[in-house]
Every structure is written in structure tokens, then in C-alpha cells.
């Protein structure tokens, strides 16, 4: 026993954060009513969720883009399974944009009609690991680790919210024909944000003027999000989730290849071996490093 049960709740072989989840919501997930114009952002944790949330808010809500409305991203693009604001989803105006970390097999039945859209963001799992390690030590609802080695063990064992990274991405990818889903790579968004926003607009069937497109790109850069209280989740993290220290945030580094500063040669080799074993023949490619600074 390593105290995992205190933090995680297993439901149908998938781990949720015990203190934040509502078991009734989980029981009813399958029947969660889906509208044709719903849009879901689905991710394994720490893969670019809040980034995608910000981009979609900017694409969909003019008042968000023009800064004429003062609504946090967390309220505009709420999590389906972690309904921390106790929203009545059935009363929300269309189009609804929802976020989720669920695996493919817990998806509401209505998503299989293939009308509602899903944007699945994925990121190289070594950067996910590092981001997750820092976040788990920061947020009180998550299990802290004494060191990276201990966290890596939990991550590779799937003893984290989201369970196994390998299963999450594989599951969604291998069942992609059951859904109306677009796969977007974090590192591509990092490399060329404008093209990524255009790709998203095309999938979402949203046409933006050049001026609006510029605004979306500008307001979704790491630096601009970090200094924007509506986008940086500071309130959400400190007041709703709770933090162990005062100096951490959701927008930590936002880079590609940070794992190189943290993993030892041995840890990296072990990770590679496990990655090869689990992701052999998997068609999506991952970007482990780009020279960006
Ligand atoms: S969560 O808890 O699952 O919702 O976290 P998630 O939002 O998926 O992941 C957080 C990481 O995404 C980075 N991020 C960004 N990177 C680049 N550009 C932008 N605009 C951006 N917004 C969020 C964030 O910094 C976290 O990664 P790390 O590596 O920890 O910095």
C-alpha cells in the first residue's frame, strides 16, 4: 500500500481523483446527453488541456476574443466528470464546449453518433510525466511523490488520475472510427500555433477573419495565457483544488523536451524500453524535442 487509494478512485478500471469526483456523475456518464453541436476536448492529464480550452474559447466566444466578457475558461469549458462548479449541463446554451480526461470506453453513448466533435490533444509522454510530477506535488487533491523516481513508478503503473497513458491514447486512437475526432499534437501547436488554430477551425467548421485569427493566436501563447487571470487557472487551482505551496501554477514551463532536464540516463532508458513495448506499431508519431528557445 502506498496511499494511492486515499487520492484515487477506481471506476471501471480507470482512476479518478477521489476528492474531486462525484460518483453519481460517473454512474450516469454513459447516458450524459450529447447534442449534435457539442465539442469535447479530451486529453490524458498534462497534455495541453487548458491550452486547447483557451483556443476553443477564443474561437467560439467573441466576447472572450475581444475581452469584453469577464468569464474564466474553467467556466466556459467545464470538465464533464469533474463538475467542480456544480453546473447544470442540460441548461447550458449551445454550442457547449466540454473537457474530459475519460478513456474511450467511458464516453457517453451519444458521442458515437459521430455528430458531436472531439478534439484529442496528445503530448510526448516524457514531458507529460515531468509536468504531472510537478503538478501532483503542487495540488493537494493529488498524491505527492518524494522524488521523480517514485512518481515515474506510479505513472508507469497507471496509478495516477487517467490511469495508463499508453492505454488512454491507444484506446482513443484505435476507436477513432467510432467518433468524430481530431488528433492534435501538443508539439505541433508549439511549433506553429497559427497553423494549428487553422486546423482546429477547419475541423470545427468555424471561419475566422484574419484579425480574429491573429487575436486567437496572440491570446493563446504561453506568456499571454500565463498573465491572463481568465486563462491561467490560478483561481481554480488555489481556491477549488488547493495547493501545497504558493509558487506553483498550471502554466509551469510550456516547453518541449523539459524531460531532458529531469530524467537520468537510466530512467530515460527504462522509459524508452517500456514505451517501445507498449507503443510498438502505433501509427501516431511523437516529438520528443524541438529547438525552440
Ligand atoms: S491538466 O491538469 O490535465 O488540465 O493540465 P494540462 O492543461 O493538460 O497540461 C498542463 C501543461 O500544458 C502546458 N500549457 C501550455 N504549453 C504551451 N503553450 C501554452 N499556451 C500552454 N498552456 C498550457 C502547461 O504549461 C503544462 O505543461 P508544463 O510542462 O507543466 O509547463
Amino acid at each position: 500500500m502506498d496511499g494511492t487509494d486515499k487520492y484515487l478512485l477506481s471506476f471501471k478500471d480507470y482512476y479518478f481523483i477521489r476528492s474531486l469526483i462525484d460518483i453519481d456523475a460517473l454512474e450516469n456518464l454513459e447516458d450524459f446527453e450529447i447534442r449534435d453541436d457539442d465539442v469535447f476536448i479530451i486529453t490524458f492529464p498534462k497534455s495541453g488541456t487548458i491550452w486547447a480550452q483557451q483556443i476553443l474559447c477564443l474561437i467560439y466566444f467573441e466576447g472572450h476574443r475581444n475581452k469584453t466578457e469577464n468569464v474564466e475558461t474553467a467556466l466556459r469549458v467545464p470538465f464533464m466528470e469533474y463538475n467542480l462548479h456544480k453546473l447544470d449541463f442540460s441548461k447550458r446554451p449551445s454550442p457547449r464546449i466540454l473537457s474530459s480526461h475519460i478513456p474511450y470506453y467511458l464516453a457517453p453513448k451519444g458521442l458515437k453518433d459521430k455528430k458531436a466533435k472531439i478534439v484529442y490533444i496528445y503530448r510526448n509522454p516524457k514531458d507529460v510525466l515531468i509536468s504531472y510530477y510537478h503538478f501532483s506535488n503542487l495540488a493537494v487533491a493529488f498524491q505527492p511523490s518524494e522524488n521523480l523516481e517514485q512518481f515515474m513508478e506510479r505513472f508507469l503503473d497507471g496509478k495516477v488520475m487517467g490511469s495508463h497513458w499508453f492505454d488512454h491514447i491507444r484506446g482513443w486512437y484505435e476507436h477513432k472510427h467510432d467518433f468524430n475526432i481530431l488528433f492534435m499534437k501538443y508539439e505541433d501547436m508549439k511549433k506553429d500555433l497559427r497553423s494549428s488554430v487553422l486546423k482546429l477551425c477547419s475541423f470545427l467548421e468555424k471561419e475566422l477573419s484574419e484579425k480574429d485569427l491573429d487575436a486567437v493566436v496572440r491570446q493563446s501563447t504561453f506568456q499571454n495565457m500565463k498573465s491572463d487571470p481568465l486563462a491561467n487557472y490560478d483561481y481554480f487551482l488555489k481556491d477549488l483544488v488547493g495547493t501545497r505551496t504558493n509558487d506553483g501554477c498550471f502554466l509551469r514551463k510550456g516547453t518541449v523536451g523539459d524531460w531532458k532536464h529531469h530524467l537520468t540516463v537510466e530512467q530515460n532508458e527504462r522509459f524508452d524500453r517500456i514505451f517501445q513495448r507498449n507503443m510498438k506499431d502505433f501509427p501516431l508519431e511523437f516529438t520528443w524535442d524541438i529547438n525552440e528557445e
Side-chain angles (χ1 to χ4, degrees):
M1 292 293 285
D2 64 353
T4 302
D5 287 352
K6 187 175 152 204
Y7 294 92
L8 297 177
L9 176 112
S10 177
F11 178 79
K12 299 194 178 168
D13 281 337
Y14 183 82
Y15 279 129
F16 294 87
I17 290 291
R18 187 178 283 281
S19 60
L20 305 180
I21 202 76
D22 173 358
I23 192 76
D24 288 341
L26 285 188
E27 304 278 5
N28 293 317
L29 219 48
E30 214 187 330
D31 297 318
F32 184 93
E33 209 180 328
I34 299 292
R35 299 181 195 156
D36 290 353
D37 55 1
D38 280 345
V39 179
F40 277 76
I41 295 167
I42 299 190
T43 53
F44 185 86
K46 313 324 285 178
S47 302
T49 324
I50 69 165
W51 194 6
Q53 289 177 328
Q54 168 74 345
I55 296 173
L56 263 60
C57 279
L58 291 163
I59 292 176
Y60 275 89
F61 302 105
E62 200 183 344
H64 200 87
R65 216 158 48 227
N66 306 339
K67 304 207 168 188
T68 49
E69 282 174 8
N70 202 23
V71 184
E72 283 160 46
T73 341
L75 273 168
R76 282 203 196 273
V77 197
F79 261 82
M80 174 179 62
E81 67 273 27
Y82 295 105
N83 186 2
L84 300 187
H85 292 97
K86 306 272 178 254
L87 302 170
D88 183 348
F89 292 120
S90 67
K91 296 218 168 76
R92 288 180 74 81
S94 288
R96 300 180 304 183
I97 310 176
L98 294 145
S99 311
S100 180
H101 290 317
I102 51 166
Y104 80 95
Y105 63 88
L106 290 183
K109 284 198 296 276
L111 272 176
K112 292 199 173 175
D113 281 348
K114 296 201 197 174
K115 292 198 181 94
K117 294 178 164 66
I118 301 175
V119 175
Y120 186 96
I121 313 284
Y122 65 100
R123 182 183 193 186
N124 89 62
K126 291 182 191 171
D127 281 332
V128 170
L129 169 84
I130 301 305
S131 178
Y132 213 163
Y133 167 58
H134 285 102
F135 190 76
S136 300
N137 279 353
L138 173 68
V140 289
F142 289 70
Q143 182 172 21
S145 302
E146 277 160 32
N147 48 45
L148 179 57
E149 180 71 24
Q150 190 184 48
F151 183 77
M152 184 163 145
E153 203 62 41
R154 288 181 183 144
F155 182 86
L156 293 172
D157 276 353
K159 284 193 170 170
V160 291
M161 168 185 71
S163 297
H164 283 103
W165 178 88
F166 304 101
D167 293 345
H168 199 277
I169 187 164
R170 226 179 219 296
W172 278 105
Y173 193 79
E174 287 173 357
H175 292 83
K176 64 177 191 272
H177 299 299
D178 296 340
F179 303 99
N180 182 5
I181 186 166
L182 172 74
F183 288 83
M184 293 282 297
K185 180 155 75 163
Y186 174 101
E187 293 80 4
D188 286 347
M189 290 162 60
K190 195 70 201 165
K191 196 165 159 199
D192 189 345
L193 185 52
R194 197 180 173 86
S195 301
S196 302
V197 172
L198 280 169
K199 191 172 167 185
L200 279 164
C201 285
S202 159
F203 175 68
L204 300 167
E205 300 168 271
K206 300 288 285 181
E207 224 170 286
L208 293 184
S209 66
E210 282 297 304
K211 188 170 153 264
D212 286 342
L213 184 67
D214 286 344
V216 174
V217 174
R218 193 175 51 249
Q219 291 178 53
S220 49
T221 61
F222 181 82
Q223 284 314 331
N224 285 342
M225 275 180 66
K226 199 171 166 72
S227 58
D228 178 354
L230 299 179
N232 65 20
Y233 269 66
D234 274 1
Y235 146 81
F236 180 89
L237 184 59
K238 301 208 163 93
D239 294 356
L240 280 177
V241 179
T243 53
R244 293 192 175 91
T245 60
N246 271 331
D247 58 354
C249 52
F250 258 84
L251 288 129
R252 191 186 58 93
K253 271 194 171 175
T255 58
V256 179
D258 188 37
W259 59 270
K260 293 191 171 177
H261 304 121
H262 296 274
L263 292 182
T264 63
V265 173
E266 205 181 23
Q267 286 168 336
N268 187 37
E269 286 176 356
R270 174 154 178 256
F271 199 105
D272 282 342
R273 275 196 304 278
I274 295 172
F275 182 86
Q276 291 308 333
R277 206 183 307 137
N278 283 278
M279 301 305 280
K280 201 165 158 271
D281 304 328
F282 187 69
L284 286 179
E285 288 192 355
F286 297 91
T287 302
W288 305 96
D289 190 19
I290 45 172
N291 293 324
E292 49 174 355
E293 270 120 8

